[in-house]
Amino acid sequence: QVQLVESGGGLVQAGDSLRLSCSARGRTFGYAMGWFRQAPGKEREFVAAINYSGGTTRYVDSVKGRFTISRDNAKNTNYLQMNSLKPEDTAVYYCTSGSTVDTVATMRPQFGSWGQGTQVTVSS
């Protein structure tokens, strides 16, 4: 079992940057971590994932080149650096973990561990 707490969301203008953080407690050693987002009226979608060593990452096509996921295992924290934000990035962002990057990328909302979410709003 793992407990996840997200932070770093906020209201920004298009083109701005934000860095989200996800602090983990519990079973974290060896686990991949990642981010999903859910906009109003839409399903939760995968955004990015990173394996335990940090050597493997995966992104949804819409954020490639703009978002970067990283992690600091000494702090049990992973980060999502979001640059060149667009209004369509507006959503609640959730952190999750899984055994592999593939597991994280295909995580269903009703399974696994999730944080409470952090709101990101990008104005045009």
Side-chain angles (χ1 to χ4, degrees), residues 13-82:
Q13 293 185 332
D16 286 350
S17 298
L18 276 176
R19 189 177 80 156
L20 305 184
S21 299
C22 173
S23 178
R25 296 177 61 184
R27 181 186 292 180
T28 59
F29 183 80
Y31 275 64
M33 299 188 76
W35 293 87
F36 280 65
R37 64 187 180 187
Q38 188 165 17
K42 295 188 176 181
E43 293 187 353
R44 193 171 297 188
E45 69 165 348
F46 168 73
V47 176
I50 186 168
N51 71 341
Y52 184 75
S53 70
T56 300
T57 58
R58 182 177 297 179
Y59 300 91
V60 67
D61 286 346
S62 59
V63 307
K64 286 181 180 177
R66 300 189 299 122
F67 291 11
T68 302
I69 189 170
S70 61
R71 65 189 295 165
D72 184 339
N73 291 332
K75 296 181 179 180
N76 288 331
T77 301
N78 84 88
Y79 306 96
L80 186 66
Q81 178 67 43
M82 307 186 295

Side-chain angles (χ1 to χ4, degrees), residues 93-114:
Y93 284 69
Y94 297 91
C95 179
T96 189
S97 68
S99 55
T100 67
V101 165
D102 287 342
T103 302
V104 171
T106 57
M107 188 69 69
R108 299 291 185 91
Q110 61 268 42
F111 299 111
S113 298
W114 299 88

Side-chain angles (χ1 to χ4, degrees), residues 10-16 85-90 120-124:
L11 171 63
V12 297
Q13 293 185 332
D16 286 350
L85 282 162
K86 304 176 180 180
E88 49 264 44
D89 295 318
T90 295
V120 172
T121 303
V122 185
S123 63
S124 58

